[in-house]
Amino acid sequence: MPPERNTSGRPTPPFGGRPSPISTSDVVRSGVRPGYPTVLGDDLWWEEDRPTEGGRRTIVHRAPCGALRELLPAPWDARTRVHEYGGRSHVVAPGGDVVFAHHADQRLYVLAAGAAAPRPITPEPGVPCGLRYADLTVHDGEVWCVMERHTGDGRVTRSIVSIPLDGGAVRRRVAGGDFYASPVVSPDGAHLAYVCWDHPRMPWVGTELRVTRAADGASWRVAGGPEESVLSPRWDGPDGLYLLSDRSGWWNLERVALDGGASRPLCPAEEEFGWASYELGGAPYAVLADGRLAVLHGRGDLRLAVLDPRTGALEEPGLPYAGWLPCLSADGSVVCGVAYAPAVPRSVVRLDTATGASHCVRGDIPVPPDPAHLPVPRPVEIRGRAGRHVHARVYPAGEVAGPYVVFAHDGPTTHSLTAPDLHKAFLTSRGIGVLDVDYGGSTGYGRAYRERLRGRWGVVDVEDVIAAAEWLVTEGLADPARIAVRGAGAGGWTSLAACCASGLFRGGVSIAGVTALAPLAAATHDFESRYVEWLVGPDSPGLYAAREPLSRAGEIDCPVLLMQGQDDPLVPAAQAEAFAAVLTERGVPCTYLSFEGEGHVFRRAETKGAALAAELSFYRQIFA
């Protein structure tokens, strides 16, 4: 193959011959994923992954002197399995005691400040990992949280409970609903506020904010309903609550009285002030000591600002970050969160809103590569089918039309971030461009954009991904003979369905992708067990066959790479195995890699390295 030439006339090495300083081990070591920070005075705590230690998660403490200390050595693993997606697994009590859920048995443990080892405060369940805890908060010497109970016969129930910090009986406070989130006790201890919803709704479809009175257990609805998503309540004194509501079409902040009277928008805007809560324990805003709110807002990436709830004035602090994750913590005038920019990895950042002083405490990538090797995303808006606008980001690999991989994110109800991703840099530094598509159904662009996917999963997402690939060709960015599509989870479904629907793709990659709907609805975890009804519709063999990749596998002629964790509780391995069997029988090139001990998301360094090497090898073969 002759060398490609860029617009300057200088030869460009063909794909595969371009040297790259980013190795597989560099990508694997980058995944410490700092998250869920807590600030109390001059102390900071946050969670971090350890991919080189079996993928466990630990808690790191930063002392006022700046010294960092890992609080939980191996084999401790601070991970909750509530909803299987988990979320925030710890809470810090006044005085510095840390309460966390241990992954191996899902019990709650307390690591007292200065103690040598944690001690359990919840009972050993009769069923292994049968009692799980998440969304922890501390009030008056007790941990309040969501408890998920798994019985031996497969039933799952949830309630809101409280547990004394020094151990003792688990006291059930609220029960009867299918799902609960965000329990918060009023400052005077008189009321408990929380979010709840029932099957078949998801929390971004319809939820209620309810309040229960401690004195007599009386409960009432304060906000929300079947077609309104309310999230993240916080108390504003003893008689009012802040919350996020999308009744305007966007998740905006409001204040509502304790009795559920008329709510008051704080800063009406066609922007999101939060996003979908797959994981429990997120915090898209925090209350400062002077009554102002540290908030996140924007479209796609969310920026940090300070909001005066009395006037609606929104003040940007002018920090060099493109986005923040919805996990803010505040104490006094200080707010702490996880921020990023195209050349700044996800980092724990501390900001004093009174002085404007900020400090980057800890980053996701221990030794970031030269910024010259990190692709700078360019946001684009693509014209899709039926005139729909599709949001996407281009990560170019050079100045000539070369190979591209279209990324379908692992939602379907989430969105991609512009945070540095060494997986993308691993590809672009080797001459493979990336197009990250926020297909219809993604968060970050209002409720109407999310609602595009209602009943249309396997149609809208697929059409948007195909339209994005066609746009790459029309714009002269991609070689039309060298375009692939890849995704994980729901993104795997979209990538395989796109290969069924279009001959444009040279190959497809699916990690833990959904291939068949009826088996998914029958075998997946309780949280998403009715999600297919919203995404596609009621169980209908004809409808399911028209959408699912497994039923349409006869339409695929391009090579496929399937990778799957054997212990995946969300998308069982049988989904990938059935798809691989059909392609193999038809003689379509298909590689299926199965990883023992891995779940829906690969956590171990050796698995991540093997998966990345296999993906690069796949692209080299199909793009050669």
Side-chain angles (χ1 to χ4, degrees):
M1 179 183 297
E4 297 171 329
R5 293 186 177 271
N6 59 29
T7 55
S8 68
R10 292 188 297 272
T12 300
F15 163 66
R18 184 177 301 180
S20 171
I22 302 174
S23 67
T24 304
S25 59
D26 290 332
V27 180
V28 170
R29 287 197 303 266
S30 71
V32 300
R33 297 174 61 86
Y36 298 109
T38 298
V39 56
L40 287 177
D42 293 326
D43 290 88
L44 288 175
W45 294 260
W46 63 87
E47 300 177 14
E48 280 189 3
D49 286 355
R50 292 289 180 265
T52 59
E53 299 177 27
R56 73 182 189 91
R57 182 173 296 170
T58 187
I59 297 170
V60 178
H61 173 235
R62 180 184 183 271
C65 65
L68 300 183
R69 184 166 71 96
E70 184 176 315
L71 298 183
L72 301 177
W76 292 105
D77 187 355
R79 280 193 289 151
T80 174
R81 288 183 55 189
V82 172
H83 293 179
E84 298 298 348
Y85 285 106
R88 185 186 184 99
S89 66
H90 83 286
V91 67
V92 182
D97 292 353
V98 178
V99 183
F100 67 96
H102 180 43
H103 184 258
D105 58 14
Q106 288 298 288
R107 298 171 73 184
L108 287 183
Y109 290 77
V110 170
L111 178 62
R119 56 178 174 79
I121 60 170
T122 56
E124 181 76 40
V127 175
C129 296
L131 296 175
R132 307 174 182 182
Y133 309 87
D135 234 343
L136 315 177
T137 187
V138 173
H139 178 82
D140 197 22
E142 291 186 303
V143 180
W144 296 65
C145 60
V146 175
M147 185 180 78
E148 185 176 83
R149 180 186 296 271
H150 293 247
T151 62
D153 57 4
R155 289 183 300 139
V156 182
T157 59
R158 296 172 188 86
S159 56
I160 296 176
V161 302
S162 64
I163 306 116
L165 276 170
D166 57 1
V170 176
R171 183 178 178 186
R172 189 168 64 176
R173 300 287 187 163
V174 177
D178 289 337
F179 299 96
Y180 296 98
S182 304
V184 282
V185 182
S186 61
D188 58 6
H191 298 92
L192 170 70
Y194 52 92
V195 172
C196 59
W197 67 97
D198 293 324
H199 281 308
R201 294 192 299 275
M202 300 299 288
W204 46 86
V205 175
T207 62
E208 290 186 357
L209 171 60
R210 297 187 66 85
V211 169
T212 294
R213 189 163 50 223
D216 58 8
S219 175
W220 60 92
R221 184 182 69 86
V222 173
E227 296 296 323
E228 178 186 358
S229 173
V230 293
L231 305 171
S232 302
R234 295 289 183 272
W235 287 95
D236 178 31
D239 59 356
L241 287 152
Y242 296 122
L243 66 134
L244 288 172
S245 168
D246 70 350
R247 64 191 180 92
S248 69
W250 300 83
W251 272 312
N252 280 190
L253 277 160
E254 300 182 355
R255 187 192 187 279
V256 65
L258 178 62
D259 61 7
S263 60
R264 176 173 63 87
L266 302 183
C267 184
E270 291 189 350
E271 292 185 327
E272 302 282 39
F273 285 71
W275 67 31
S277 51
Y278 278 93
E279 296 185 350
L280 293 178
Y285 68 98
V287 183
L288 300 169
D290 61 5
R292 296 183 300 164
L293 307 178
V295 303
L296 302 179
H297 70 107
R299 297 190 180 194
D301 291 321
L302 302 182
R303 306 182 309 278
L304 179 69
V306 177
L307 171 66
D308 187 331
R310 297 163 298 179
T311 65
L314 199 63
E315 180 182 353
E316 302 273 354
L319 299 176
Y321 305 109
W324 295 67
L325 301 184
C327 55
L328 298 181
S329 173
D331 187 38
S333 64
V334 173
V335 60
C336 188
V338 176
Y340 56 85
V344 180
R346 301 184 192 195
S347 303
V348 177
V349 175
R350 182 184 187 276
L351 167 69
D352 190 329
T353 59
T355 65
S358 66
H359 177 57
C360 183
V361 179
R362 180 82 151 185
D364 180 50
I365 304 174
V367 183
D370 185 328
H373 298 294
L374 294 175
V376 178
R378 175 168 65 93
V380 296
E381 195 170 278
I382 296 166
R383 177 76 66 172
R385 300 289 190 272
R388 294 193 303 264
H389 292 286
V390 182
H391 298 279
R393 297 179 180 91
V394 180
Y395 295 79
E399 300 176 14
V400 296
Y404 259 83
V405 180
V406 178
F407 277 43
H409 64 68
D410 57 354
T413 312
T414 183
H415 64 271
S416 59
L417 302 176
T418 60
D421 181 352
L422 287 195
H423 185 169
K424 293 187 178 75
F426 182 83
L427 298 178
T428 57
S429 63
R430 286 168 169 79
I432 306 176
V434 171
L435 180 65
D436 220 343
V437 183
D438 282 345
Y439 50 80
S442 301
T443 55
Y445 310 99
R447 179 157 186 140
Y449 199 83
R450 299 200 311 273
E451 291 280 338
R452 288 182 183 181
L453 209 58
R454 184 188 287 240
R456 303 280 288 169
W457 193 37
V459 178
V460 166
D461 54 322
V462 173
E463 290 178 348
D464 288 355
V465 163
I466 294 172
E470 293 170 342
W471 177 86
L472 283 172
V473 176
T474 301
E475 292 294 308
L477 298 174
D479 178 346
R482 295 192 292 173
I483 301 176
V485 59
R486 64 94 68 193
W493 153 284
T494 301
S495 66
L496 295 176
C499 290
C500 294
S502 173
L504 179 59
F505 299 106
R506 185 70 178 129
V509 177
S510 170
I511 301 97
V514 176
T515 67
L517 293 171
L520 176 73
T524 194
H525 61 138
D526 183 62
F527 176 63
E528 292 181 307
S529 61
R530 304 284 297 276
Y531 194 14
V532 170
E533 296 178 26
W534 187 90
L535 288 168
V536 180
D539 188 355
S540 167
L543 176 61
Y544 283 8
R547 302 283 183 87
E548 62 190 15
L550 182 61
S551 296
R552 302 178 60 193
E555 302 171 41
I556 291 185
D557 294 317
C558 65
V560 171
L561 171 62
L562 303 170
M563 294 185 281
Q564 178 73 47
Q566 280 297 308
D567 297 338
D568 188 345
L570 280 64
V571 181
Q575 294 261 325
E577 293 166 358
F579 197 79
V582 173
L583 293 191
T584 300
E585 184 178 356
R586 290 185 55 236
V588 176
C590 176
T591 300
Y592 172 51
L593 300 179
S594 174
F595 298 100
E596 293 185 7
E598 292 285 7
H600 192 61
V601 177
F602 300 158
R603 301 187 61 85
R604 298 173 178 172
E606 56 270 27
T607 303
K608 291 182 175 182
L612 184 58
E615 190 172 344
L616 178 61
S617 175
F618 179 76
Y619 296 142
R620 281 177 170 160
Q621 293 176 61
I622 66 172
F623 290 155

